Amino acid sequence: MASVRDIVVSAAINLLSALTFLLAFAFLRLQPINDRVYFPKWYQKGTRSSPTASGGFLKNKFVNLNFKTYLKFWNWMPAALRMPEAELIDHAGLDSAVYVRIYLLGLKIFVPITILAFAVLVPVNWTGSTLDDIKDLTYNDIDKLSISNVPSGSLRLVAHVVMAYVVTLWTCYVLYKEYQIVTKKRLQFLASENRRPDQFTVLVRNVPSENDEAVSENVEHFFSVNHPDHYLTHQVVYNANRLARMVDRKKILQNWLTYFETKFERNPKKRPRTKTGFWGIWGKSVDAIDYYSAQIKKINEYEAEEREKLMNDPEAIIPAAFVSFKSRWGAAVCAQTQQSSDQSLWLTEWAPEPRDVYWNNLATPFVELNVKRLLASLAMFCLTFFFMIPIAFVQSLASLDGITKVLPFLEPLMEQEAVMSIVQGFLPGIALKIFLTLLPAIIASMSKIEGHTSLSSLDRRSAGKYHFFLLVNVFFGSIITGAAFEQLHKFLNQAPSEIPRTVGVAIPMKATFFITYIMVDGWAGIAAEILRLVPLITYHIKNTFLVKTEYDREQAMDPGTVDFPTSEPQIQLYFLLGLVYSVVTPFILPFIIVFFAFSYLVFRHQIINVYDQKYESGAAFWPDVHRRVIIGLIISQLLLLGLLSTKSALQSTPLLLVLPVLTIAFDRFCKGRFESAFVKYPLQEAMKKDTEERATDPNLNLKAYLQDAYVHPVFKDIDMNRPAALDDEENSPLVETSSRKSSEESGSPGIIVDTVIDEIPSYYV
């Protein structure tokens, strides 16, 4: 169990690490050679073309020789806070602006609670004497600040019950006001947003096969009959997954070819060589340039053959389509209504914006989705269950007895105070951080199996899984296994009737473990985020070996994005810890406030200067954020109820039972009041937007604007004729001849068909 001294040592280590990262960032960001790493957003917007264009770092293009700028290394902090939120939304999008508001929400909730808790609860807890009266119980001075030190049945517990009401009411008030603000910003954003293809388009899935009609003919017929005044055009969906993988493989080969050509240009006397085996590690040694040139030529031939075969295959069209309408109003009606008496057919939903489409899942047959979702749920259950083993191992590190039992030869070393403080104050937090490193990638793979058709929905689903995992394993797992490890002797040598009381006393003591985790993840981890060490190294490697032109240099930049599936659930863990321990062990609250404040500053800077979001959902994730804070609040209320039951305070049970009921009622109220704005598009707003557009742009050719909006990205730059299969389908009398003709004249590629070609080696696909 970490003592006050251990916490101080851990704080010193993490503060020193954070300060080191910040100083390194302050120095590296001023160097012109790193400008594209720390300011890529401005390069992508075209407002910055070189370091000297932004105010300049003198004439040296590698090192900043203006030493006066080093004296103001801290100026990135006020600069990150200076941009108004309205300008931030225009600059980075609503998703990014609302994401940083999650940290602001944490500050709004916990700063007043911390002040009140330290003014009321800390004196009440400190003047108790319960821990001194319990024999054979391991505790420290921090535990004396918790509810564990309050005598059972004491009137002092009234302060904790009143504080629970204050925390609940204040949290609900802040959540309501924030939900109201975000909803207003979302509606304003949608109303002021420029024209986008998804505003006029609906994704239709599970298109039935009727009367031997092709999918395109069936879609055309259905919407011409049922939406005659608003239907405009449609694009059927083709399976392009295998061809996309071939294109990705060719990009990898092209990068290697560029690398070896650059290497040869720098040393023309020696031709570079490589091996034909795995990753060039083993196999026959060959001329690298000739080898990769031959591989690219071969894969180009396979691509051409693939396209030729697929363009004439009408069976490659899957039963789905992007259907576009003449107005936003028509699209809103279609997306938000049931299209058929058979609820399993003609399923409509708002089409994601083109860059938000997850093309790999569009080819998944709809009937397979339920099976895949069941398998993903089973896999998530197994992952959550078996991950309890490393969590238990991490908790063993929090106890010196646990370490010496596993590694008895370390016992002499553990007896040294300096080593003891580092092990108990720093090692558990860093060990848990390491164990969680690979988890987001595993969860993302599970979510992809479920068949979500947009990156935003995929991210939200992954965030939900990760939140569940953190809740079960990191929070409850750490408390349960930690209590068992630390109080093992007392568990084994007491009457069964005393176990609930011991557990009730032990749970608040896990605050010290969570404090160490907060400092590792929320202090040093956030400071490492702004340093961007991996993108920095990657950029300079690419810039050294692959970059030949200015375009190559732009491609070498990796601005990254807000990792919502991982970062948002981690933020929710801090909300949960703050809400649970605000009444139990308030000493943890200042550490959480530092996390929220520091993260708000860092991520605001990153969103302004670095991150380039992959899509824009209009803050569609906020209902999930709200709901998870509510879940944390209810958990804190139930845990306090169970904890007080171990302290002979059963008379408080009716009062505390009211809190979850009120919280759930509040959540239902907010759901009815605000959530529809995040899942539906008001017809009034759609009509208003359409009217304004007709007045400002009466000659808009909407059909031409939407014609190629939902073409698969790997085909957007390919100049080729439309698939013959699509031309055959459009010979239907329901299809306008002019549409087909204009498409042929413009060379629109459509979406290329993807079928299995047995003769293509798996090396390429």
Side-chain angles (χ1 to χ4, degrees), residues 30 68 90 212 296 391 456 487 541 547 559 601 624 644:
L30 294 175
K68 292 182 179 179
D90 292 337
D212 296 328
I296 293 174
I391 292 294
S456 56
Q487 309 300 337
I541 290 176
V547 171
L601 177 66
D624 295 329
L644 291 182

Side-chain angles (χ1 to χ4, degrees), residues 226-254:
N226 295 286
H227 298 266
D229 298 329
H230 302 283
Y231 168 72
L232 179 63
T233 185
H234 72 277
Q235 293 179 351
V236 292
V237 178
Y238 291 77
N239 187 345
N241 293 346
R242 284 176 60 86
L243 186 56
R245 289 193 294 271
M246 293 174 66
V247 171
D248 291 338
R249 174 60 185 170
K250 186 172 68 173
K251 290 179 181 178
I252 296 175
L253 294 174
Q254 187 63 53

Side-chain angles (χ1 to χ4, degrees), residues 63 87 127 164 199 277 289 306 363 378 411 427 461 505-506 534 558 566 578 616 623 627 656 675 683:
V63 181
E87 185 179 343
T127 54
Q199 297 170 350
I289 296 177
E306 175 83 346
L378 292 175
E411 185 172 358
L427 185 59
R461 183 64 176 174
V505 173
V534 173
D558 180 20
T566 302
E616 176 60 60
R627 181 171 59 254
L656 292 177
E675 190 170 309
L683 296 181

Side-chain angles (χ1 to χ4, degrees), residues 338-633:
Q338 182 175 322
Q339 303 302 309
S340 172
S341 57
D342 188 343
Q343 299 184 21
S344 64
L345 301 177
W346 298 105
L347 303 179
T348 58
E349 59 184 270
W350 277 108
E353 64 164 317
R355 59 178 178 163
D356 189 19
V357 177
Y358 186 63
W359 296 95
N360 292 345
N361 279 349
L362 285 178
T364 304
F366 188 79
V367 293
E368 295 181 11
L369 294 182
N370 291 331
V371 176
K372 289 187 174 183
R373 288 172 182 172
L374 176 61
L375 294 176
S377 299
L378 292 175
M380 186 64 195
F381 172 80
C382 294
L383 177 66
T384 304
F385 179 78
F386 287 108
F387 210 87
M388 194 66 72
I389 297 173
I391 292 294
F393 172 74
V394 169
Q395 287 304 317
S396 71
L397 297 178
S399 170
L400 292 179
D401 292 336
I403 295 177
T404 54
K405 286 179 181 179
V406 176
L407 304 172
F409 61 89
L410 294 179
E411 185 172 358
L413 186 63
M414 293 295 107
E415 294 177 355
Q416 300 181 21
E417 290 188 1
V419 175
M420 184 187 305
S421 297
I422 294 175
V423 168
Q424 293 195 136
F426 181 72
L427 185 59
I430 194 66
L432 181 58
K433 181 70 175 176
I434 293 173
F435 273 118
L436 295 176
T437 301
L438 297 177
L439 188 64
I442 298 174
I443 292 178
S445 299
M446 293 180 182
S447 298
K448 289 178 181 178
I449 297 175
E450 295 180 336
H452 301 285
T453 57
S454 66
L455 296 173
S456 56
S457 60
L458 182 63
D459 284 351
R460 291 197 297 272
R461 183 64 176 174
S462 298
K465 288 185 175 68
Y466 195 35
H467 175 254
F468 174 76
F469 180 90
L470 293 178
L471 184 64
V472 174
N473 280 63
V474 177
F475 182 71
F476 285 111
S478 296
I479 287 179
I480 295 171
T481 58
F485 272 110
E486 293 180 4
Q487 309 300 337
L488 184 60
H489 174 73
K490 195 163 184 63
F491 268 79
L492 298 177
N493 295 279
Q494 66 179 0
S497 60
E498 291 296 314
I499 291 180
R501 183 171 182 268
T502 304
V503 173
V505 173
I507 286 177
M509 296 180 181
K510 292 312 298 175
T512 54
F513 164 74
F514 287 120
I515 287 173
T516 63
Y517 177 75
I518 290 170
M519 288 187 289
V520 171
D521 180 69
W523 295 8
I526 297 300
E529 167 70 25
I530 200 171
L531 181 59
R532 307 194 75 227
L533 187 59
V534 173
L536 176 68
I537 296 174
T538 303
Y539 170 77
H540 285 300
I541 290 176
K542 291 181 178 179
N543 195 38
T544 302
F545 297 107
L546 298 179
V547 171
K548 288 184 175 182
T549 64
E550 190 64 24
Y551 174 79
D552 295 335
R553 186 168 288 105
E554 291 179 1
Q555 294 300 307
M557 289 191 307
D558 180 20
T561 62
V562 172
D563 190 11
F564 181 81
T566 302
S567 58
E568 192 273 340
Q570 289 177 331
I571 301 172
Q572 292 297 338
L573 178 62
Y574 290 94
F575 275 106
L576 176 64
L577 293 176
L579 293 171
V580 168
Y581 284 102
S582 60
V583 181
V584 176
T585 309
F587 185 74
I588 199 176
L589 292 177
F591 298 89
I592 293 176
I593 289 177
V594 171
F595 161 76
F596 280 117
F598 187 37
S599 298
Y600 178 75
L601 177 66
V602 167
F603 279 97
R604 219 174 190 273
H605 172 274
Q606 299 295 81
I607 285 171
I608 293 173
N609 298 296
V610 181
Y611 293 148
D612 180 39
Q613 287 303 100
K614 295 180 292 186
Y615 57 81
E616 176 60 60
S617 69
F621 56 82
W622 190 259
D624 295 329
V625 174
H626 174 90
R627 181 171 59 254
R628 288 169 191 148
V629 177
I630 290 292
I631 291 173
L633 185 59

Side-chain angles (χ1 to χ4, degrees), residues 647-691:
K647 302 185 77 65
S648 302
L650 294 178
Q651 64 273 18
S652 66
T653 300
L655 292 174
L656 292 177
L657 281 176
V658 174
L659 291 178
V661 175
L662 291 177
T663 304
I664 293 173
F666 167 76
D667 181 53
R668 298 293 298 177
F669 169 76
C670 289
K671 182 181 179 67
R673 176 70 175 82
F674 300 116
E675 190 170 309
S676 62
F678 293 83
V679 296
K680 298 178 181 178
Y681 188 38
L683 296 181
Q684 181 183 18
E685 296 295 327
M687 180 61 74
K688 180 180 178 181
K689 189 79 172 176
D690 289 332
T691 303

